[in-house]
Amino acid sequence: MENNHPVNIYIVSDSVGGTANSLGKAAMSQFPSANIKLHGYPFIRGEDTLISILEKAAEENAMVLHTLVSDDLTKVAQEYCSKHEIYCVDLLSPIIREIQKRSGVQPANKPGALHEMDETYFDRIRAIEFAVMYDDGRDPKGFLEADIILLGISRTSKTPLSMFLANLNYKVANLPLVPESHIPEELWQVDPKKIVGLTNNLDMINSIRQERMISYGLNPETPYSNKERIERELEFSNDLYEKLGCLVINVEKRSIEETAAIIVSTLKLDKKKLNHLEEYN
């Protein structure tokens, strides 16, 4: 018989805490049936604040994952957790010390250095704005400026994938495919190496569309969710992909992150931007 006691994980950081949060979620994913809760405590600056959090962690027998850059706060966390037998993992200090040892360079010890508003940050904002502007084929001219163009019938994850790729600094435009609609001339002017055709399993699309209708308080059996209609849409999209000679990805059993990784690696996009993708894995 499984023991399913609640497990509390405290994410403590003097910055955003994204690194520790991602690691905590990655570990949690291995225990889908466990009762695990993440508690975030970002932007910790003072010793008193840190101690109060650790006191609460001790009361709940919580695990503590921290990315404290400050030597003083790191020391406080280590000593308090050791004294009170709190499971505590310092995710940054060992790596920082090893880099310092190998490079001979002193660390900046600057909280939030990873998230400074440099040119990369502003590129990301511009990419997100681009994705919003050219979502759902609003302006075909965007195809000529985009790094990536996503095509697909309804419910193939075009918009969420566009936003995810935009957060990796790619300019993405997407176009919903409907058999009755005209394919914009601009699409044929684009290098097919920039185009990605998204597809999905007929039954999966049918199920998703029915659930969408139910969420709107409507009858799930509509022309939108009709299997014959969906089959015709899939045939239309697959014919178009073949004519374009573009990359085709079936998103049925893939997460947004997995699909994005395939797109970035297959299209051989900017390697510098590819590094950002690793933050999500």
Side-chain angles (χ1 to χ4, degrees), residues 155-188:
R155 303 298 98 197
T156 50
S157 304
K158 295 183 300 300
T159 296
L161 184 55
S162 292
M163 297 309 299
F164 185 89
L165 288 164
N167 272 281
L168 301 178
N169 291 22
Y170 294 109
K171 294 189 295 183
V172 186
N174 73 70
L175 176 69
L177 299 179
V178 181
E180 296 81 9
S181 296
H182 170 71
I183 300 300
E185 184 62 33
E186 288 85 351
L187 187 63
W188 302 102

Side-chain angles (χ1 to χ4, degrees), residues 120-159:
T120 301
Y121 170 82
F122 291 109
D123 283 345
R124 181 175 297 125
I125 296 302
R126 285 190 284 267
I128 292 171
E129 291 174 345
F130 186 95
V132 172
M133 182 179 299
Y134 297 110
D135 184 42
D136 265 350
R138 288 174 186 162
D139 186 350
K141 292 179 182 177
F143 299 154
L144 304 177
E145 301 176 37
D147 297 319
I148 304 168
I149 299 166
L150 303 178
L151 309 178
I153 68 172
S154 176
R155 303 298 98 197
T156 50
S157 304
K158 295 183 300 300
T159 296

Side-chain angles (χ1 to χ4, degrees), residues 78-140:
Q78 288 174 334
E79 291 179 351
Y80 189 95
C81 289
S82 177
K83 181 178 178 181
H84 294 84
E85 298 183 342
I86 300 171
Y87 180 86
C88 178
V89 180
D90 179 351
L91 297 173
L92 283 184
S93 296
I95 301 171
I96 291 173
R97 283 196 299 269
E98 187 63 22
I99 292 175
Q100 179 183 354
K101 175 183 172 183
R102 295 184 182 210
S103 68
V105 177
Q106 291 293 319
N109 289 332
K110 183 178 180 182
L114 180 64
H115 302 282
E116 285 187 337
M117 293 200 300
D118 55 11
E119 190 58 32
T120 301
Y121 170 82
F122 291 109
D123 283 345
R124 181 175 297 125
I125 296 302
R126 285 190 284 267
I128 292 171
E129 291 174 345
F130 186 95
V132 172
M133 182 179 299
Y134 297 110
D135 184 42
D136 265 350
R138 288 174 186 162
D139 186 350

Side-chain angles (χ1 to χ4, degrees), residues 136 150-160 174-180 196-206 208-209 224 226-241 249 251:
D136 265 350
L150 303 178
L151 309 178
I153 68 172
S154 176
R155 303 298 98 197
T156 50
S157 304
K158 295 183 300 300
T159 296
N174 73 70
L175 176 69
L177 299 179
V178 181
E180 296 81 9
V196 179
L198 303 174
T199 188
N200 203 334
N201 175 275
L202 188 154
D203 290 331
M204 178 63 72
I205 294 177
N206 170 253
I208 294 172
R209 290 187 180 184
Y224 176 67
N226 178 271
K227 281 193 173 184
E228 290 183 4
R229 166 68 189 187
I230 295 171
E231 188 172 17
R232 191 156 67 91
E233 290 182 24
L234 286 170
E235 288 176 356
F236 172 78
S237 63
N238 289 331
D239 286 344
L240 177 63
Y241 301 157
I249 301 175
V251 301

